[in-house]
Amino acid sequence: MNGDLVMARDPEAAQALRTLHDDLRECTGCSLCRSRTHVVFGVGDPNADLMFVGEGPGFNEDRQGEPFVGQAGRLLTELLGAIGLARRDVYIANVVKCRPPENRDPAPDEIEACSPHLMRQIAIVRPRVICTLGRFATKLLADTESSMSVIHGKAKPREVAGVQTIIFPVFHPAAALYTPANRQVLEEDFAKLRRLLDRGIEVPASSEAGERAAADPSVPAMPEESSNRSRVVPARTEQLPLW
Ligand code: URA
């Protein structure tokens, strides 16, 4: 294994997440505490490059205390598998950590009460990319009113909880359970997510940043690159908002 990658991992992240989880087990920060079975904190690699943020626990998640373990979760696991990832490779959390009754939308006061915990998780995991699942996570983390149908599958560099990351919205997997067309869109967006993880954001060579990248010998060119094609800027170097 690459020694740099091992050294880059933060050995304290797992403990920091455990401590935060323990602090939240009896949370009474909003009225959702009255009907929940479990606080659904989050699971996965404490040092993940890729973090998923959903809306809030459903019936199965509330019972088991783990995010995305129901039907939508199975689809998420399949979508991950299709791009060569397993649940243990990523970190998965939600905007609200307790199930809204009858799976209703989380209310603004519930999101306000719970989102600081999500921000702490992001500050600990420090993901390179956050894939927001659906409109609630996207609105919160990208601070946008744009419609999901306009911004899904597009990347936006952004600082969240003190972490320079890239927000990548996709439709919520639940939207694809009974609508094959939505599933296809999700599959296409996950293929783009794979490219984003592998290559970073593609900056058009005609743009100012693209020209600077093209002049920078440390920025690798795509194998098929010709002089009028786009250059690829690794995710940790210069970024351009793409929406
Ligand atoms: N939907 C979500 O948004 N989160 C879950 O954990 C499960 C379903």
Side-chain angles (χ1 to χ4, degrees):
M1 202 188 286
N2 179 319
D4 289 345
L5 284 180
V6 173
M7 282 178 61
R9 295 180 68 82
D10 175 2
E12 289 173 13
Q15 184 53 49
L17 287 173
R18 269 196 297 275
T19 303
L20 182 60
H21 189 178
D22 288 343
D23 288 349
L24 292 178
R25 282 183 205 279
E26 309 297 328
C27 179
T28 54
C30 79
S31 61
L32 294 180
C33 68
R34 294 202 281 271
S35 50
R36 72 160 183 247
T37 311
H38 288 108
V39 171
V40 179
F41 179 70
V43 283
D45 180 354
N47 293 116
D49 268 351
L50 173 60
M51 179 164 175
F52 287 90
V53 179
E55 182 178 314
F59 176 85
N60 292 292
E61 290 78 17
D62 176 62
R63 288 296 159 98
Q64 297 181 39
E66 184 170 329
F68 284 97
V69 290
Q71 270 190 299
R74 275 194 290 281
L75 176 54
L76 176 61
T77 305
E78 280 176 36
L79 291 163
L80 278 172
I83 59 167
L85 293 171
R87 284 170 70 99
R88 66 176 174 279
D89 299 324
V90 302
Y91 191 82
I92 307 175
N94 278 308
V95 169
V96 295
K97 310 224 175 305
C98 297
R99 182 191 180 205
E102 311 303 324
N103 294 349
R104 65 159 169 75
D105 289 348
D109 62 314
E110 293 157 357
I111 295 173
E112 195 182 332
C114 208
S115 56
H117 310 313
L118 174 65
M119 297 304 169
R120 284 291 302 136
Q121 287 171 297
I122 293 170
I124 294 168
V125 177
R126 306 188 66 79
R128 205 155 61 83
V129 175
I130 301 176
C131 180
T132 51
L133 301 166
R135 63 196 164 102
F136 285 94
T138 303
K139 183 170 185 231
L140 179 70
L141 297 180
D143 191 21
T144 180
E145 295 295 331
S146 301
S147 148
M148 285 298 293
S149 56
V150 173
I151 60 176
H152 74 90
K154 295 179 184 163
K156 179 170 187 159
R158 187 169 160 77
E159 189 179 308
V160 180
V163 179
Q164 189 58 48
T165 188
I166 297 171
I167 306 295
F168 187 82
V170 300
F171 288 117
H172 194 287
L177 287 178
Y178 305 106
T179 312
N182 289 346
R183 185 180 172 128
Q184 194 183 336
V185 174
L186 261 174
E187 285 170 358
E188 288 164 7
D189 285 350
F190 267 65
K192 291 180 197 159
L193 178 58
R194 177 76 265 175
R195 290 204 292 278
L196 177 62
L197 290 168
D198 290 344
R199 304 176 179 177
I201 284 181
E202 294 174 24
V203 180
S206 58
S207 73
E208 197 189 324
E211 280 161 18
R212 276 202 298 276
D216 181 352
S218 71
V219 175
M222 289 170 74
E224 72 276 24
E225 183 184 44
S226 70
S227 58
N228 61 356
R229 283 258 185 78
S230 61
R231 293 274 324 230
V232 173
V233 179
R236 287 192 181 83
T237 64
E238 189 150 17
Q239 305 294 344
L240 283 184
L242 296 188
W243 98 71

mmCIF file of all heavy atoms in Angstrom, residues 40 53-59 61 66-70 72-73 92-96 133 172-174, ligand 1:
data_model
loop_
_atom_site.group_PDB
_atom_site.id
_atom_site.type_symbol
_atom_site.label_atom_id
_atom_site.label_comp_id
_atom_site.label_asym_id
_atom_site.label_seq_id
_atom_site.Cartn_x
_atom_site.Cartn_y
_atom_site.Cartn_z
ATOM 1 N N VAL A 40 -29.894 8.078 14.279
ATOM 2 C CA VAL A 40 -29.168 7.435 13.168
ATOM 3 C C VAL A 40 -27.986 8.338 12.824
ATOM 4 O O VAL A 40 -28.119 9.319 12.089
ATOM 5 C CB VAL A 40 -30.111 7.217 11.969
ATOM 6 C CG1 VAL A 40 -29.355 6.578 10.809
ATOM 7 C CG2 VAL A 40 -31.285 6.345 12.391
ATOM 8 N N VAL A 53 -24.699 12.440 1.803
ATOM 9 C CA VAL A 53 -25.607 13.018 2.801
ATOM 10 C C VAL A 53 -27.029 12.907 2.270
ATOM 11 O O VAL A 53 -27.359 13.455 1.213
ATOM 12 C CB VAL A 53 -25.252 14.492 3.110
ATOM 13 C CG1 VAL A 53 -26.240 15.059 4.131
ATOM 14 C CG2 VAL A 53 -23.825 14.607 3.638
ATOM 15 N N GLY A 54 -27.854 12.150 3.004
ATOM 16 C CA GLY A 54 -29.265 11.997 2.647
ATOM 17 C C GLY A 54 -30.133 12.954 3.446
ATOM 18 O O GLY A 54 -29.642 13.917 4.055
ATOM 19 N N GLU A 55 -31.416 12.656 3.463
ATOM 20 C CA GLU A 55 -32.385 13.576 4.061
ATOM 21 C C GLU A 55 -32.581 13.268 5.560
ATOM 22 O O GLU A 55 -32.300 14.097 6.424
ATOM 23 C CB GLU A 55 -33.679 13.391 3.280
ATOM 24 C CG GLU A 55 -34.807 14.263 3.682
ATOM 25 C CD GLU A 55 -36.002 13.984 2.762
ATOM 26 O OE1 GLU A 55 -35.815 13.904 1.530
ATOM 27 O OE2 GLU A 55 -37.120 13.845 3.278
ATOM 28 N N GLY A 56 -33.037 12.077 5.837
ATOM 29 C CA GLY A 56 -33.276 11.680 7.222
ATOM 30 C C GLY A 56 -33.673 10.221 7.250
ATOM 31 O O GLY A 56 -34.059 9.654 6.223
ATOM 32 N N PRO A 57 -33.572 9.585 8.419
ATOM 33 C CA PRO A 57 -33.869 8.151 8.499
ATOM 34 C C PRO A 57 -35.324 7.850 8.161
ATOM 35 O O PRO A 57 -36.210 8.659 8.437
ATOM 36 C CB PRO A 57 -33.598 7.816 9.971
ATOM 37 C CG PRO A 57 -32.923 9.007 10.565
ATOM 38 C CD PRO A 57 -33.184 10.174 9.687
ATOM 39 N N GLY A 58 -35.536 6.678 7.584
ATOM 40 C CA GLY A 58 -36.886 6.154 7.390
ATOM 41 C C GLY A 58 -37.152 5.068 8.422
ATOM 42 O O GLY A 58 -36.410 4.921 9.404
ATOM 43 N N PHE A 59 -38.183 4.268 8.159
ATOM 44 C CA PHE A 59 -38.617 3.238 9.114
ATOM 45 C C PHE A 59 -37.483 2.275 9.475
ATOM 46 O O PHE A 59 -37.186 2.047 10.648
ATOM 47 C CB PHE A 59 -39.802 2.471 8.506
ATOM 48 C CG PHE A 59 -40.272 1.341 9.354
ATOM 49 C CD1 PHE A 59 -41.177 1.552 10.391
ATOM 50 C CD2 PHE A 59 -39.811 0.042 9.137
ATOM 51 C CE1 PHE A 59 -41.603 0.493 11.183
ATOM 52 C CE2 PHE A 59 -40.232 -1.007 9.926
ATOM 53 C CZ PHE A 59 -41.132 -0.785 10.951
ATOM 54 N N GLU A 61 -34.229 2.498 8.976
ATOM 55 C CA GLU A 61 -33.059 3.145 9.560
ATOM 56 C C GLU A 61 -33.309 3.449 11.036
ATOM 57 O O GLU A 61 -32.445 3.254 11.894
ATOM 58 C CB GLU A 61 -32.740 4.449 8.802
ATOM 59 C CG GLU A 61 -32.216 4.228 7.390
ATOM 60 C CD GLU A 61 -33.295 3.879 6.364
ATOM 61 O OE1 GLU A 61 -34.488 4.106 6.657
ATOM 62 O OE2 GLU A 61 -32.938 3.375 5.275
ATOM 63 N N GLU A 66 -28.988 2.703 11.548
ATOM 64 C CA GLU A 66 -27.967 2.896 10.503
ATOM 65 C C GLU A 66 -28.615 3.540 9.273
ATOM 66 O O GLU A 66 -29.720 3.140 8.883
ATOM 67 C CB GLU A 66 -27.368 1.529 10.131
ATOM 68 C CG GLU A 66 -26.255 1.669 9.126
ATOM 69 C CD GLU A 66 -25.469 0.375 8.920
ATOM 70 O OE1 GLU A 66 -25.354 -0.415 9.875
ATOM 71 O OE2 GLU A 66 -24.990 0.180 7.798
ATOM 72 N N PRO A 67 -27.933 4.521 8.648
ATOM 73 C CA PRO A 67 -28.531 5.186 7.489
ATOM 74 C C PRO A 67 -28.586 4.279 6.253
ATOM 75 O O PRO A 67 -27.719 3.418 6.063
ATOM 76 C CB PRO A 67 -27.610 6.386 7.216
ATOM 77 C CG PRO A 67 -26.332 6.057 7.875
ATOM 78 C CD PRO A 67 -26.633 5.110 9.011
ATOM 79 N N PHE A 68 -29.593 4.500 5.440
ATOM 80 C CA PHE A 68 -29.718 3.851 4.124
ATOM 81 C C PHE A 68 -29.586 2.326 4.208
ATOM 82 O O PHE A 68 -28.709 1.723 3.589
ATOM 83 C CB PHE A 68 -28.712 4.454 3.123
ATOM 84 C CG PHE A 68 -29.147 5.809 2.630
ATOM 85 C CD1 PHE A 68 -28.658 6.975 3.204
ATOM 86 C CD2 PHE A 68 -30.097 5.931 1.630
ATOM 87 C CE1 PHE A 68 -29.089 8.224 2.777
ATOM 88 C CE2 PHE A 68 -30.537 7.171 1.195
ATOM 89 C CZ PHE A 68 -30.031 8.318 1.763
ATOM 90 N N VAL A 69 -30.474 1.714 4.996
ATOM 91 C CA VAL A 69 -30.511 0.252 5.056
ATOM 92 C C VAL A 69 -31.819 -0.312 4.495
ATOM 93 O O VAL A 69 -32.001 -1.521 4.442
ATOM 94 C CB VAL A 69 -30.317 -0.279 6.504
ATOM 95 C CG1 VAL A 69 -28.886 -0.048 6.972
ATOM 96 C CG2 VAL A 69 -31.314 0.360 7.468
ATOM 97 N N GLY A 70 -32.742 0.570 4.081
ATOM 98 C CA GLY A 70 -33.998 0.113 3.485
ATOM 99 C C GLY A 70 -33.855 -0.010 1.972
ATOM 100 O O GLY A 70 -32.751 -0.202 1.444
ATOM 101 N N ALA A 72 -34.196 2.231 -0.453
ATOM 102 C CA ALA A 72 -33.356 3.277 -1.064
ATOM 103 C C ALA A 72 -31.887 2.988 -0.774
ATOM 104 O O ALA A 72 -31.012 3.229 -1.611
ATOM 105 C CB ALA A 72 -33.744 4.660 -0.527
ATOM 106 N N GLY A 73 -31.627 2.441 0.412
ATOM 107 C CA GLY A 73 -30.256 2.095 0.782
ATOM 108 C C GLY A 73 -29.697 0.975 -0.076
ATOM 109 O O GLY A 73 -28.521 0.996 -0.456
ATOM 110 N N ILE A 92 -21.468 7.763 5.201
ATOM 111 C CA ILE A 92 -22.880 8.041 4.888
ATOM 112 C C ILE A 92 -23.557 8.659 6.111
ATOM 113 O O ILE A 92 -23.490 8.102 7.218
ATOM 114 C CB ILE A 92 -23.631 6.749 4.496
ATOM 115 C CG1 ILE A 92 -22.892 6.004 3.380
ATOM 116 C CG2 ILE A 92 -25.053 7.077 4.069
ATOM 117 C CD1 ILE A 92 -23.512 4.643 3.029
ATOM 118 N N ALA A 93 -24.215 9.803 5.905
ATOM 119 C CA ALA A 93 -24.919 10.475 7.009
ATOM 120 C C ALA A 93 -26.187 11.123 6.445
ATOM 121 O O ALA A 93 -26.486 11.016 5.246
ATOM 122 C CB ALA A 93 -24.016 11.514 7.662
ATOM 123 N N ASN A 94 -26.917 11.784 7.303
ATOM 124 C CA ASN A 94 -28.169 12.449 6.916
ATOM 125 C C ASN A 94 -28.227 13.879 7.450
ATOM 126 O O ASN A 94 -27.524 14.218 8.404
ATOM 127 C CB ASN A 94 -29.358 11.682 7.487
ATOM 128 C CG ASN A 94 -29.753 10.482 6.652
ATOM 129 O OD1 ASN A 94 -29.951 10.596 5.445
ATOM 130 N ND2 ASN A 94 -29.864 9.329 7.282
ATOM 131 N N VAL A 95 -29.114 14.672 6.855
ATOM 132 C CA VAL A 95 -29.331 16.044 7.340
ATOM 133 C C VAL A 95 -29.921 16.010 8.747
ATOM 134 O O VAL A 95 -29.453 16.706 9.643
ATOM 135 C CB VAL A 95 -30.257 16.820 6.376
ATOM 136 C CG1 VAL A 95 -30.714 18.141 6.996
ATOM 137 C CG2 VAL A 95 -29.549 17.076 5.052
ATOM 138 N N VAL A 96 -30.977 15.208 8.955
ATOM 139 C CA VAL A 96 -31.512 15.035 10.320
ATOM 140 C C VAL A 96 -31.284 13.586 10.749
ATOM 141 O O VAL A 96 -31.356 12.664 9.938
ATOM 142 C CB VAL A 96 -33.010 15.429 10.458
ATOM 143 C CG1 VAL A 96 -33.195 16.915 10.201
ATOM 144 C CG2 VAL A 96 -33.908 14.593 9.576
ATOM 145 N N LEU A 133 -27.728 13.669 -1.567
ATOM 146 C CA LEU A 133 -28.790 12.817 -2.092
ATOM 147 C C LEU A 133 -30.120 13.545 -1.901
ATOM 148 O O LEU A 133 -30.678 13.553 -0.799
ATOM 149 C CB LEU A 133 -28.787 11.481 -1.348
ATOM 150 C CG LEU A 133 -27.473 10.676 -1.440
ATOM 151 C CD1 LEU A 133 -27.444 9.560 -0.411
ATOM 152 C CD2 LEU A 133 -27.292 10.110 -2.847
ATOM 153 N N HIS A 172 -32.399 11.850 -5.028
ATOM 154 C CA HIS A 172 -32.477 10.897 -3.919
ATOM 155 C C HIS A 172 -32.800 9.508 -4.487
ATOM 156 O O HIS A 172 -33.675 9.379 -5.346
ATOM 157 C CB HIS A 172 -33.575 11.337 -2.939
ATOM 158 C CG HIS A 172 -33.485 10.628 -1.633
ATOM 159 N ND1 HIS A 172 -33.826 9.307 -1.480
ATOM 160 C CD2 HIS A 172 -33.048 11.035 -0.415
ATOM 161 C CE1 HIS A 172 -33.621 8.944 -0.226
ATOM 162 N NE2 HIS A 172 -33.147 9.984 0.443
ATOM 163 N N PRO A 173 -32.118 8.458 -4.022
ATOM 164 C CA PRO A 173 -32.388 7.121 -4.562
ATOM 165 C C PRO A 173 -33.855 6.714 -4.451
ATOM 166 O O PRO A 173 -34.346 5.949 -5.296
ATOM 167 C CB PRO A 173 -31.505 6.195 -3.703
ATOM 168 C CG PRO A 173 -30.463 7.063 -3.110
ATOM 169 C CD PRO A 173 -31.009 8.464 -3.054
ATOM 170 N N ALA A 174 -34.572 7.218 -3.446
ATOM 171 C CA ALA A 174 -35.988 6.851 -3.311
ATOM 172 C C ALA A 174 -36.776 7.266 -4.549
ATOM 173 O O ALA A 174 -37.765 6.611 -4.918
ATOM 174 C CB ALA A 174 -36.584 7.486 -2.053
HETATM 175 N N1 URA B 1 -33.504 8.168 3.074
HETATM 176 C C1 URA B 1 -32.621 9.056 3.590
HETATM 177 O O1 URA B 1 -32.581 10.203 3.179
HETATM 178 N N2 URA B 1 -31.787 8.644 4.526
HETATM 179 C C2 URA B 1 -31.776 7.396 4.977
HETATM 180 O O2 URA B 1 -30.945 7.099 5.847
HETATM 181 C C3 URA B 1 -32.691 6.488 4.430
HETATM 182 C C4 URA B 1 -33.547 6.888 3.473
#
